[in-house]
Amino acid sequence: VVMQLRVDCRHYDGGKLAFLSDVYSLLSAGQSIVFVDTGQVAKEVHQMLTAQCGYSCSLLHGEMDSVGQLAAMKAFRNGIN
């Protein structure tokens, strides 16, 4: 089952990162994709999900070289991250 969710986190206590942390603690999603505005925000989300929350995830943003981007997409398709 694929579910798409768009949430305006501007008024959520703690902002986007706190919202993601709270949502992932409540759901049992096998895989998910989180879209953000910038490479810097992508790095912050990746850091929070891996280091602070202990989730396995890949990082993909436009500042990465094509080899890194392709590796991240392949890992996601194969269910690795």
Side-chain angles (χ1 to χ4, degrees), residues 8-13:
D8 181 354
C9 300
R10 287 179 285 189
H11 303 291
Y12 193 83
D13 287 340

Side-chain angles (χ1 to χ4, degrees), residues 27-71:
L27 297 177
S28 60
Q31 289 183 300
S32 62
I33 299 175
V34 177
F35 292 95
V36 295
D37 293 341
T38 67
Q40 180 58 40
V41 175
K43 293 172 190 174
E44 291 171 8
V45 170
H46 181 262
Q47 173 69 18
M48 187 269 303
L49 290 175
T50 56
Q52 296 175 18
C53 298
Y55 292 106
S56 174
C57 66
S58 296
L59 176 63
L60 177 64
H61 58 78
E63 298 169 10
M64 296 171 63
D65 63 20
S66 60
V67 173
Q69 291 176 350
L70 290 172

